[in-house]
Amino acid sequence: TGALWSDPKLWLLSLTNFTFGFSGAFINGKINADYTKTELSMSCVGLMMALTACTAALAQRPYRMLADRCGKGIVLCVGAASFLAIPCLALALPLG
């Protein structure tokens, strides 16, 4: 496994994991704490966290079909745009 550290593909693929980790922390720390709790209620925070996981599970099949038809690059671009949309929408939409 030590030989993989010098492979540039490993480092390029790791950016997706970092993005997912930071996005999940942003959703749980900022969106759920400031938006969900304020707009809905504290009891809806857990529901929104579960909804995030369910959405990811349900999106797998359409993304797989899109990747089979158009290639993985399109799916990566859609995913990157989705990750970018989260903080942009949080900045654009006023709290309260």
Side-chain angles (χ1 to χ4, degrees), residues 4-96:
L4 292 175
W5 286 98
S6 61
D7 188 3
K9 293 177 190 173
L10 175 74
W11 295 101
L12 292 172
L13 289 172
S14 69
L15 295 176
T16 304
N17 291 332
F18 288 131
T19 303
F20 182 77
F22 285 122
S23 179
F26 181 76
I27 288 173
N28 290 330
K30 176 72 174 163
I31 304 297
N32 283 339
D34 292 345
Y35 290 90
T36 305
K37 187 169 71 171
T38 304
E39 297 294 328
L40 300 175
S41 70
M42 184 62 183
S43 61
C44 291
V45 171
L47 176 66
M48 294 303 284
M49 291 172 70
L51 184 63
T52 302
C54 289
T55 302
L58 292 173
Q60 288 181 8
R61 185 170 299 275
Y63 281 151
R64 167 54 54 199
M65 292 185 327
L66 182 64
D68 289 343
R69 178 173 284 176
C70 300
K72 293 179 183 178
I74 298 292
V75 176
L76 285 173
C77 289
V78 170
S82 299
F83 281 127
L84 179 64
I86 294 169
C88 289
L89 289 173
L91 290 173
L93 299 175
L95 178 62

